[in-house]
Amino acid sequence: MSTSVYEVERAAPPASEQGTFLIGYDVESRNPAVTQAFLRRAVAIHEATDVPATFFLVGRTIDLSREALRPLASHPLFDFQQHTFNHVLLKSVCIEDPIDGVRFFRAGTLEQIREEVRRTSALLRDEFGVTCTGLTGPYAYYRGLVDRPDLLEILWDEGIRFTRTWGRDERDWQPVPLEVQPFWYRLQGFPELLEVPLHGWQDISLRKSVGWTNHDGFLAVEYPYMERAAAEGLTFSYCTHDHSSTRDDPEMAITESLLRRARALGLAPMTYATYYRRVVERTSVTAGVSA
Ligand SMILES: [Zn+2]
């Protein structure tokens, strides 16, 4: 009998034959020059490879780059979701980081979190006509929100239907194994709220570990996750950022290599919003067949 929540509540993957590739950028820089240089290059590499992506936008970053973001709101390859307004943590993390030591970051209050999510969804709606249904949690957490039905209730009330919050291990460090596949928060009372973890390493942790200029060293660690996802029909969910994907790599060569590798492996690429929609469709089809 399985004793892992991600196995017991596992969501039916939309591309179980060939595996799925998800890439989500946390767009959160406080420097609009960084965000806008990133956006220009991201559009170029995603159009060149025809790989879709999700931008998880911090509200205050939207405020600084409204005009640069506007044309991308209706771009067929991109999807806008949120990352809170001020990058407020949903859960505290105590990171046992082998490079920078032990560090603690405190979560916001429940009232603050509700306001952060509501304000960002309102901004996305008023500015771009986007209905926000997805959120990635600042810093990401060990076991996502499986222990926090109070937070899930706030997110559900605010219209969030999928989260990317499982992104650390028991030391609040990384990597997150590929075994942690997307699952439903049914046990917590939210059977239609989907957790899509991030796998392996968020780029920042790994790039500082191998050295920011060591592109090949980074790819040598990331590729095996993608190869395994392709071989076993699993979902690989990758997290990077506006400021880190361009740091010591202004052309985003690392990210472009990942997109091309996903294509070469035959992984099905899609935005997180499309992924959620397809998982829901597959779930109702499966339920209909078994009924
Ligand atoms: Zn972030």
Side-chain angles (χ1 to χ4, degrees):
M1 186 180 75
S2 173
T3 53
S4 299
V5 62
Y6 50 82
E7 289 173 5
V8 172
E9 298 301 334
R10 183 168 172 176
S16 53
E17 297 302 311
Q18 75 265 47
T20 305
F21 177 76
L22 304 176
I23 177 168
Y25 296 94
D26 297 5
V27 181
E28 62 186 29
S29 177
R30 306 189 80 157
N31 179 350
V34 169
T35 300
Q36 289 166 26
F38 155 77
L39 290 172
R40 284 191 293 273
R41 194 59 203 148
V43 168
I45 65 172
H46 283 275
E47 287 183 343
T49 54
D50 196 30
V51 170
T54 294
F55 293 139
F56 291 100
L57 299 153
V58 161
R60 67 187 178 198
T61 301
I62 298 174
D63 264 344
L64 296 170
S65 293
R66 291 177 190 229
E67 297 315 314
L69 285 163
R70 195 175 313 285
L72 304 183
S74 55
H75 192 295
L77 286 176
F78 298 112
D79 163 38
F80 281 7
Q81 306 295 340
Q82 71 152 292
H83 192 38
T84 77
F85 200 91
N86 291 296
H87 208 258
V88 168
L89 282 75
L90 309 186
K91 294 205 320 191
S92 296
V93 293
C94 183
I95 304 175
E96 296 172 20
D97 179 335
I99 298 168
D100 293 332
V102 180
R103 295 175 297 149
F104 180 77
F105 299 92
R106 190 182 183 123
T109 65
L110 292 178
E111 296 71 32
Q112 200 179 3
I113 289 165
R114 185 185 291 278
E115 179 55 26
E116 285 276 316
V117 176
R118 181 174 292 174
R119 191 175 167 196
T120 311
S121 288
L123 179 57
L124 285 168
R125 184 183 58 241
D126 297 345
E127 193 68 36
F128 307 123
V130 166
T131 302
C132 179
T133 56
L135 172 144
T136 196
Y139 282 70
Y141 323 103
Y142 177 48
R143 306 182 79 217
L145 301 177
V146 297
D147 55 348
R148 294 300 301 273
D150 52 344
L151 289 172
L152 291 170
E153 184 171 356
I154 289 172
L155 298 181
W156 180 265
D157 286 351
E158 297 302 325
I160 299 301
R161 296 296 176 263
F162 63 91
T163 54
R164 189 178 67 173
T165 62
W166 188 321
R168 295 185 180 274
D169 66 11
E170 66 278 10
R171 296 175 300 143
D172 280 345
W173 186 236
Q174 293 174 325
V176 177
L178 200 58
E179 279 76 6
V180 188
Q181 286 290 295
F183 64 90
W184 299 105
Y185 283 117
R186 185 184 65 85
L187 294 170
Q188 292 76 9
F190 301 90
E192 293 169 62
L193 184 43
L194 182 72
E195 169 67 25
V196 185
L198 65 90
H199 293 118
W201 299 81
Q202 330 189 7
D203 62 336
I204 295 172
S205 315
L206 179 57
R207 287 196 60 198
K208 75 177 182 185
S209 299
V210 300
W212 282 91
T213 55
N214 180 5
H215 296 186
D216 290 343
F218 180 87
L219 293 170
V221 179
E222 289 293 337
Y223 282 164
Y225 287 95
M226 300 170 68
E227 288 156 6
R228 188 177 157 207
E232 299 179 25
L234 300 173
T235 297
F236 174 71
S237 164
Y238 178 67
C239 171
T240 177
H241 307 73
D242 53 352
H243 52 91
S244 58
S245 63
T246 49
R247 178 171 165 183
D248 285 315
D249 187 10
E251 296 299 309
M252 294 176 65
I254 288 178
T255 313
E256 184 169 3
S257 297
L258 294 173
L259 305 183
R260 294 194 182 282
R261 188 80 186 127
R263 281 287 181 208
L265 287 166
L267 289 163
M270 61 190 80
T271 65
Y272 284 79
T274 299
Y275 187 83
Y276 179 79
R277 220 171 23 249
R278 294 203 186 157
V279 168
V280 168
E281 283 164 13
R282 284 213 57 190
T283 304
S284 22
V285 168
T286 310
V289 167
S290 62

